[in-house]
C-alpha cells in the first residue's frame, strides 16, 4: 500500500511539473506574442506522456488547457476542449510505448514512428473527431452559436491542430531526444551530477569544434547582414516603395552571387590541398587560374546586365514609381559582380592559407563601409547611393583581405596557367556552396513574380520578409560550417567514430541555436519589420503571423542546413546539393506560391514552415530508398570506416598509460610484432612528454586514431602549442591541421 501511494505521489508531482512547464511555454508563445494560432506547450506534454506515462501527459494537458484558458479568457467557457487535447497526448504516449520496446533508443526509426503517430493521432482526435463529438455531447454549449461562429471555431481548431503537429515534430522531437539520452546516461553513471559533468566534459573534438562555432556564426551573420544592408537602409531612409524596389533586385543579386563565385570554393580547397602536399608550384598555378577566371566571370556580367535591363524589368512589371527606384539601383549595381567575386576569392584564399583573422576583419570593415556610405549617399542621391555604397564596401573588402598577399607567410603568387580540367574540378568542388545562390535567385524570382501577379506592387514587402527569412535560415548554419574542416579531416582518415561524435556535437549546437532563434522570432517578430522600417505597414498584422510561422521553420531549416553541409564535407556533394535545392528553392516555391493563391500572406508563412519540414522528410525518403535505413543518418557505407578506431584523452600521466595500453591491445590484435609495438609506444610516449613540456600549464586535449588501411598507422593529435617535434625517426610524419598538431607514426 505504501509503495502504491509513493508511486501515485510521484505521478502527481510529475503531472504538476509538466503542466507548469507547458503553461509557461504557452504563456511565452501565446500571451506574450498575442497570437492564439501558435501553441508550443504540446511539445512538453507529449514528452511527459512518453517519458513518465500516458496518464501524466494526458492530465498535464488538461491542467494546462484549463489554466491557459483562464489566463487568456478569464473564464472556463471553452475549456471542454481540454478533454480532446488530453486524450490526444495520452493516446500518443500509449501507441508510441507499445510500438517502441527499447525505451533508451531514439534513432531515425523511433523519430519516424514518433512523428507518424503524433500526426495521425492529432489529426484524427483534434481535427476530425472533435467537431462531431462536440455536436453530440456538448450541444448544450454550442446550441446558440451562429453558423459564422461555428466556421470561425473550426478555423481556430484547424490552426491549433496544425500548431500542435508542428511544435511536436520540431520541438517535441528534440526535447524527447534529450530526455531519452539523459535517462540512458543516468542509468550508466548513476546520478544526475555525473551525467551533467559528462555532458560538459571537454574532449579534443568538442574543444576544437566549439571554439570555431561562434566564430563562424559571427562571420555568417555579418556576411548576410552585408547582403541585407541595402534593404534595411532603403526602408528607413527612402520609404516602403524604395524597399519594394530592392525586393525586385534580390533575384539579380542572388544570380550574380552564384555566377561570380562559381569556382571560388573549389579553387581555395584545391589550393589548400596542394599546400598540404607541399606542392607550392601547383598551388600557385591553381591560384592564378582561379584569379583570372573570377575576374573574367565578374567583368563579363557588366555588359550582359547592361543590355538586358529592359528585359529584366519587363519580366518583373511593377508600378512606375517602384520601377524607377529599382532602375536607379540597377544602373550602378551592374559594377558590383566583379568586385564581389574578387573579394570573395581573396577571402577564401587567405583563409585557406591560415589567415582567418583577416577574413573577419574584411567582413567588419566592409559592413561598416556599406552601412555608413549607404545612409550618407542615399540621403543625397537616393537609390543610386545604395548601389554605389555596395561597390565601395567590396572595394574596402578587397583592400583589407589583399593585405595577406603582401605578407611573408603568403604561399600564393601569380603565374600564368590555364586548364579546362582544373576549371571543371573547381566548379565540381564549388557545387555545394554555389547551389545556394542559384536557389535563392529562383526562390526570390518566384516569390516576386507571384506577388506582382496575384496581389500587386503594394505587397512586395511580403517578398522582402520571405527572402529575409530564407537568409535567417542560413544564419543558423554557422555551427555546421564551423565543423567543415573537422568533418573533412575525419572523412579523409576514414574515421567513423570521429565523424559520428562530431555529427552529434555539431547537430546539438545547431539545434540549440535554431531553437533560440526560433523562440526569439516567435516572441518578437516585429524585429524583422523594425529592421526594414515598415512596422507601421497596413499589412503589419498579417506579416507578423507570417514571420511567426516562418520562425518555427527555423528549427527544421537548422537540421536541413546541417545535413547539407555534412554530406558535402564527407564526399557526397550530390546529396548535399539535393538537400540545398529542396530547402532553399523547390519546396519554398511549391508551398509559398501555391498557398498564396488562396491563403494570403499568413499561408505563405505556413508554406515557409512546411517547406523546411517537408524538405528534410522527403530528402530522407530518397536516402532511405537509395541507401537503405541502416545508412541513415551518417551514410558511412565504405567498409574502410570499420578499419579505423579512435580514442580521446587528456595529457596526463594516467591517461598516457591508458592510451598506450589501448594502442598495445589493438596492434596486437592485428598481429604486429612485440618489438614494433614497443617502438611505437616509446615514440608515442616521447610525443606526449614533448607536447606537455611545450604547452606548459595549458590544459591539453588529444586524440589517438589507429588506421589499419594497408600499413598500420597511429595518428596522435593535440590542441597544445603549435610546434614541430624534434624527432628524427623516419616513421614519424608531422603536420599542423589548422589549430592542432597531428603526428603520424607509420608502423
Amino acid at each position: 500500500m505504501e509503495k502504491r501511494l509513493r508511486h501515485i505521489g510521484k505521478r502527481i508531482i510529475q503531472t504538476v511539473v509538466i503542466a507548469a512547464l507547458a503553461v509557461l511555454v504557452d504563456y511565452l508563445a501565446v500571451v506574450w506574442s498575442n497570437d492564439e494560432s501558435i501553441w508550443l506547450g504540446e511539445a512538453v506534454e507529449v514528452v511527459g506522456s512518453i517519458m513518465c506515462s500516458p496518464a501524466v501527459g494526458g492530465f498535464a494537458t488538461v491542467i494546462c488547457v484549463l489554466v491557459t484558458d483562464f489566463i487568456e479568457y478569464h473564464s472556463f467557457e471553452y475549456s471542454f476542449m481540454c478533454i480532446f487535447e488530453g486524450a490526444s497526448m495520452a493516446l500518443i504516449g500509449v501507441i508510441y510505448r507499445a510500438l517502441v520496446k527499447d525505451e533508451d533508443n531514439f534513432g531515425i526509426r523511433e523519430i519516424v514512428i514518433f512523428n507518424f503517430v503524433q500526426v495521425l493521432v492529432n489529426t484524427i482526435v483534434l481535427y476530425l473527431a472533435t467537431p462531431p463529438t462536440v455536436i453530440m455531447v456538448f450541444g448544450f454549449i454550442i446550441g446558440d452559436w451562429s453558423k459564422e461562429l461555428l466556421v470561425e471555431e473550426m478555423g481556430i481548431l484547424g490552426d491549433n491542430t496544425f500548431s500542435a503537429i508542428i511544435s511536436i515534430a520540431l520541438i517535441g522531437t528534440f526535447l524527447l531526444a534529450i530526455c531519452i539520452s539523459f535517462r540512458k546516461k543516468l542509468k550508466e553513471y548513476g546520478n544526475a551530477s555525473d551525467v551533467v559533468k559528462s555532458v560538459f566534459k571537454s574532449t579534443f573534438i568538442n574543444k576544437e569544434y566549439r571554439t570555431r562555432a561562434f566564430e563562424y556564426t559571427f562571420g555568417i551573420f555579418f556576411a548576410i547582414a552585408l547582403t541585407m544592408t541595402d534593404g534595411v537602409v532603403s526602408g528607413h531612409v527612402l520609404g516602403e516603395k524604395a524597399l519594394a524596389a530592392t525586393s525586385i533586385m534580390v533575384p539579380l543579386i542572388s544570380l550574380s552571387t552564384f555566377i561570380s563565385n562559381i569556382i571560388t570554393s573549389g579553387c581555395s580547397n584545391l589550393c589548400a590541398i596542394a599546400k598540404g602536399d607541399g606542392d607550392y608550384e601547383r598551388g600557385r598555378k591553381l591560384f592564378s587560374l582561379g584569379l583570372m577566371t573570377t575576374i573574367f566571370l565578374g567583368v563579363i556580367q557588366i555588359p550582359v546586365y547592361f543590355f538586358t535591363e529592359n528585359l529584366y524589368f519587363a519580366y518583373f512589371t511593377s508600378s512606375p514609381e517602384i520601377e524607377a527606384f529599382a532602375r536607379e539601383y540597377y544602373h550602378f549595381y551592374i559594377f558590383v559582380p566583379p568586385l564581389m567575386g574578387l573579394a570573395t576569392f581573396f577571402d577564401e584564399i587567405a583563409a585557406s592559407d591560415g589567415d582567418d583573422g583577416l577574413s573577419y576583419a574584411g567582413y567588419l570593415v566592409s559592413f561598416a563601409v556599406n552601412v555608413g556610405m549607404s545612409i550618407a549617399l542615399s540621403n543625397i542621391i537616393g537609390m543610386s547611393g545604395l548601389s554605389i555604397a555596395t561597390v565601395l564596401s567590396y572595394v574596402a573588402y578587397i583592400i583589407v583581405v589583399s593585405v595577406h598577399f603582401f605578407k611573408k607567410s603568403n604561399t600564393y603568387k601569380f603565374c600564368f596557367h590555364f586548364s579546362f580540367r582544373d576549371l571543371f574540378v573547381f566548379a565540381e568542388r564549388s557545387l555545394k556552396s554555389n547551389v545556394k545562390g542559384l536557389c535563392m535567385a529562383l526562390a526570390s524570382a518566384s516569390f516576386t513574380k507571384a506577388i506582382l501577379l496575384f496581389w500587386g506592387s503594394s505587397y512586395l514587402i511580403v517578398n522582402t520578409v520571405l527572402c529575409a527569412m530564407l537568409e535567417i535560415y542560413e544564419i543558423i548554419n554557422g555551427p555546421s560550417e564551423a565543423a567543415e574542416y573537422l568533418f573533412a579531416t575525419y572523412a579523409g582518415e576514414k574515421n567513423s567514430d570521429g565523424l559520428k561524435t562530431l555529427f552529434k556535437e555539431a547537430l546539438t549546437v545547431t539545434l540549440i541555436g535554431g531553437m533560440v532563434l526560433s523562440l526569439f522570432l516567435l516572441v518578437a517578430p516585429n524585429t524583422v519589420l523594425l529592421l526594414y522600417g515598415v512596422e507601421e505597414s497596413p499589412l503589419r498584422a498579417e506579416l507578423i503571423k507570417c514571420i511567426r510561422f516562418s520562425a518555427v521553420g527555423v528549427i527544421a531549416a537548422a537540421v536541413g542546413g546541417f545535413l547539407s553541409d555534412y554530406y558535402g564535407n564527407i564526399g557526397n556533394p550530390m546529396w548535399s546539393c539535393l538537400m540545398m535545392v529542396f530547402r532553399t528553392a523547390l519546396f519554398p516555391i511549391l508551398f509559398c506560391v501555391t498557398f498564396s493563391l488562396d491563403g494570403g500572406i499568413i499561408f505563405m508563412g505556413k508554406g515557409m514552415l512546411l517547406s523546411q519540414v517537408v524538405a528534410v522528410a522527403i530528402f530522407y525518403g530518397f536516402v532511405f530508398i537509395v541507401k537503405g535505413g541502416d545508412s541513415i543518418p551518417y551514410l558511412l557505407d565504405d567498409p574502410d570506416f570499420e578499419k579505423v578506431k579512435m580514442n580521446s584523452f587528456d595529457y596526463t600521466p594516467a591517461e598516457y598509460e591508458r592510451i598506450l595500453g589501448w594502442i598495445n591491445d589493438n596492434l596486437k590484435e592485428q598481429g604486429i610484432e612485440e618489438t614494433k609495438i614497443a617502438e611505437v609506444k616509446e615514440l608515442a610516449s616521447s610525443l606526449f612528454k614533448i607536447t606537455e613540456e611545450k604547452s606548459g600549464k595549458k590544459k591539453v586535449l588529444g586524440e589517438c586514431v589507429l588506421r589499419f588501411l594497408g600499413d598500420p598507422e597511429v595518428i596522435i593529435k593535440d590542441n597544445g602549442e603549435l610546434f614541430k617535434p624534434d624527432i628524427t625517426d623516419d616513421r614519424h610524419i608531422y603536420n599542423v591541421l589548422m589549430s592542432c598538431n597531428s603526428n603520424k607514426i607509420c608502423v
Side-chain angles (χ1 to χ4, degrees):
M1 183 65 180
E2 183 180 348
K3 185 177 179 181
R4 181 70 176 170
L5 289 174
R6 280 202 304 268
H7 179 75
I8 293 173
K10 179 182 176 182
R11 293 302 188 209
I12 291 173
I13 293 172
Q14 290 172 341
T15 301
V16 172
V17 170
I18 291 168
L21 287 173
V23 169
L24 179 62
V25 170
D26 277 339
Y27 183 84
L28 291 174
V30 179
V31 179
W32 281 8
S33 65
N34 196 29
D35 190 341
E36 298 177 20
S37 61
I38 297 175
W39 298 84
L40 303 178
E42 289 90 344
V44 177
E45 295 156 3
V46 77
V47 171
S49 183
I50 292 172
M51 294 297 297
C52 301
S53 78
V56 168
F59 282 118
T61 304
V62 170
I63 295 170
C64 177
V65 173
L66 291 172
V67 173
T68 51
D69 276 4
F70 184 77
I71 291 173
E72 190 169 357
Y73 306 117
H74 303 291
S75 81
F76 295 107
E77 183 179 356
Y78 305 105
S79 296
F80 61 87
M81 289 297 297
C82 69
I83 298 172
F84 302 99
E85 294 191 33
S88 183
M89 296 302 110
L91 194 55
I92 292 171
V94 169
I95 297 175
Y96 178 85
R97 286 157 69 103
L99 293 175
V100 178
K101 301 301 182 183
D102 185 357
E103 63 176 15
D104 292 332
N105 192 33
F106 196 68
I108 296 296
R109 175 179 174 275
E110 287 73 26
I111 290 173
V112 171
I113 291 173
F114 170 66
N115 281 287
F116 176 77
V117 169
Q118 70 96 359
V119 169
L120 186 66
V121 171
N122 278 319
T123 302
I124 293 175
V125 176
L126 292 185
Y127 189 67
L128 297 177
T130 300
T133 307
V134 168
I135 291 171
M136 293 172 63
V137 180
F138 296 97
F140 63 93
I141 295 178
I142 66 169
D144 58 346
W145 288 9
S146 64
K147 179 182 177 182
E148 290 75 15
L149 182 57
L150 280 170
V151 172
E152 181 183 344
E153 289 299 317
M154 278 298 297
I156 294 173
L157 184 62
D159 284 342
N160 288 349
T161 305
F162 178 85
S163 178
I165 289 171
I166 294 300
S167 67
I168 291 173
L170 299 178
I171 302 174
T173 302
F174 181 54
L175 290 177
L176 189 57
I178 291 175
C179 290
I180 290 176
S181 176
F182 184 84
R183 181 172 62 189
K184 185 177 181 180
K185 285 183 176 293
L186 192 60
K187 291 178 180 179
E188 179 183 349
Y189 289 97
N191 59 74
S193 61
D194 287 342
V195 173
V196 173
K197 288 178 184 177
S198 71
V199 170
F200 291 99
K201 181 184 177 182
S202 291
T203 63
F204 177 84
I205 287 181
N206 64 36
K207 184 70 174 177
E208 280 291 294
Y209 167 69
R210 290 173 187 174
T211 53
R212 297 170 63 82
F214 175 77
E215 294 177 2
Y216 270 70
T217 302
F218 179 80
I220 289 178
F221 173 80
F222 274 99
I224 291 175
L226 193 62
T227 65
M228 297 171 69
T229 298
D230 291 345
V232 172
V233 174
S234 65
H236 283 280
V237 177
L238 301 174
E240 196 169 319
K241 291 185 178 179
L243 176 60
T246 61
S247 176
I248 290 177
M249 291 298 299
V250 170
L252 180 68
I253 294 170
S254 299
L255 180 63
S256 64
T257 301
F258 167 70
I259 296 172
S260 300
N261 301 325
I262 200 167
I263 56 95
T264 302
S265 179
C267 178
S268 65
N269 184 264
L270 287 176
C271 285
I273 291 173
K275 179 185 174 183
D277 290 340
D279 191 349
Y280 296 103
E281 183 64 26
R282 171 69 174 163
R284 293 186 186 104
K285 288 180 178 180
L286 295 172
F287 163 76
S288 303
L289 177 60
L291 178 61
M292 291 188 298
T293 307
T294 298
I295 293 173
F296 172 78
L297 290 173
V299 171
I300 197 66
Q301 290 179 72
I302 297 176
V304 171
Y305 294 151
F306 179 82
F307 289 111
T308 57
E309 177 183 347
N310 290 331
L311 182 65
Y312 186 83
F313 289 104
Y315 183 76
F316 295 112
T317 304
S318 59
S319 69
E321 190 174 358
I322 291 175
E323 184 175 323
F325 273 125
R327 284 182 181 270
E328 278 185 59
Y329 185 92
Y330 188 101
H331 291 157
F332 286 96
Y333 181 80
I334 63 174
F335 298 104
V336 168
L339 297 170
M340 175 175 59
L342 192 59
T344 307
F345 179 78
F346 280 169
D347 174 71
E348 291 262 2
I349 292 294
S352 73
D353 210 15
D355 211 343
D356 282 331
L358 206 57
S359 173
Y360 295 124
Y363 278 129
L364 288 172
V365 171
S366 180
F367 179 72
V369 169
N370 200 3
V371 172
M373 296 305 295
S374 291
I375 295 172
L377 294 177
S378 62
N379 275 302
I380 300 172
I381 55 177
M383 288 292 287
S384 298
L386 293 177
S387 48
I388 292 173
T390 302
V391 170
L392 294 175
S393 72
Y394 281 114
V395 170
Y397 203 128
I398 292 170
I399 292 172
V400 172
V401 182
S402 61
V403 169
H404 172 77
F405 301 99
F406 296 95
K407 292 182 177 181
K408 290 183 179 180
S409 60
N410 170 45
T411 303
Y412 308 107
K413 292 180 175 60
F414 185 83
C415 61
F416 183 80
H417 170 71
F418 186 81
S419 165
F420 280 113
R421 182 180 179 280
D422 286 338
L423 284 176
F424 176 79
V425 178
F426 285 172
E428 183 182 38
R429 286 180 174 260
S430 301
L431 191 61
K432 176 179 75 75
S433 58
N434 278 328
V435 165
K436 177 198 164 187
L438 183 59
C439 288
M440 284 291 291
L442 291 171
S444 57
S446 300
F447 296 161
T448 305
K449 190 67 176 177
I451 289 167
L452 288 172
L453 282 175
F454 302 153
W455 302 338
S457 302
S458 60
Y459 279 77
L460 279 171
I461 179 61
V462 180
N463 181 49
T464 301
V465 168
L466 292 175
C467 290
M469 293 308 301
L470 282 176
E471 293 287 4
I472 288 171
Y473 288 168
E474 297 307 313
I475 289 176
I476 54 174
N477 286 345
S480 62
E481 290 195 11
E484 181 174 353
Y485 133 72
L486 284 169
F487 274 134
T489 300
Y490 290 129
E493 292 175 353
K494 299 293 184 180
N495 185 347
S496 61
D497 290 339
L499 286 170
K500 291 176 181 179
T501 303
L502 181 59
F503 182 98
K504 294 172 184 177
E505 173 78 17
L507 180 58
T508 300
V509 173
T510 302
L511 280 171
I512 291 172
M515 287 189 68
V516 170
L517 185 56
S518 177
L519 290 173
F520 172 77
L521 290 172
L522 278 170
V523 175
N526 200 45
T527 305
V528 178
L529 301 184
L530 284 169
L531 187 66
Y532 287 102
V534 292
E535 63 272 20
E536 301 300 327
S537 169
L539 303 175
R540 180 182 180 279
E542 292 177 274
L543 287 171
I544 288 290
K545 287 194 174 185
C546 175
I547 293 168
R548 283 193 172 123
F549 278 113
S550 300
V552 181
V554 169
I555 302 170
V559 176
F562 170 80
L563 293 173
S564 181
D565 288 334
Y566 169 74
Y567 294 131
N569 293 330
I570 66 168
N572 288 297
M574 295 310 299
W575 287 119
S576 174
C577 292
L578 184 65
M579 172 58 88
M580 182 66 75
V581 170
F582 278 4
R583 59 181 287 269
T584 313
L586 179 61
F587 289 112
I589 292 171
L590 291 178
F591 281 103
C592 291
V593 174
T594 303
F595 283 10
S596 69
L597 289 171
D598 295 321
I601 297 173
I602 297 173
F603 272 75
M604 290 189 85
K606 289 184 178 181
M608 287 291 285
L609 162 57
L610 286 175
S611 70
Q612 302 306 305
V613 176
V614 172
V616 175
I618 297 296
F619 172 80
Y620 265 133
F622 275 103
V623 176
F624 184 85
I625 292 170
V626 175
K627 293 285 189 177
D630 294 338
S631 296
I632 299 173
Y634 305 113
L635 300 192
L636 304 176
D637 302 323
D638 191 330
D640 284 346
F641 280 109
E642 299 177 2
K643 302 174 184 177
V644 179
K645 298 181 180 181
M646 186 192 79
N647 207 324
S648 296
F649 63 97
D650 298 342
Y651 270 73
T652 61
E655 289 285 273
Y656 301 157
E657 186 177 344
R658 180 179 67 83
I659 289 297
L660 291 174
W662 179 73
I663 292 173
N664 181 84
D665 294 341
N666 280 278
L667 291 181
K668 190 177 291 185
E669 285 181 9
Q670 297 296 317
I672 308 297
E673 297 175 5
E674 291 284 351
T675 53
K676 287 188 177 182
I677 294 175
E679 291 173 1
V680 169
K681 289 167 65 178
E682 184 179 352
L683 186 52
S685 295
S686 64
L687 283 170
F688 294 155
K689 291 175 183 177
I690 294 172
T691 302
E692 191 175 1
E693 289 171 3
K694 292 286 186 181
S695 301
K697 294 182 179 180
K698 177 182 177 182
K699 182 179 180 181
V700 182
L701 301 169
E703 74 178 19
C704 184
V705 179
L706 300 180
R707 286 164 43 93
F708 302 109
L709 307 173
D711 293 334
E713 297 173 335
V714 180
I715 300 173
I716 299 173
K717 301 173 193 164
D718 70 83
N719 60 6
E721 295 299 315
L722 300 182
F723 70 98
K724 185 171 183 178
D726 185 16
I727 296 176
T728 57
D729 195 312
D730 292 339
R731 294 171 302 167
H732 173 255
I733 301 170
Y734 168 79
N735 197 0
V736 175
L737 298 173
M738 299 293 282
S739 59
C740 70
N741 297 305
S742 179
N743 296 276
K744 183 190 295 183
I745 302 172
C746 302
V747 181

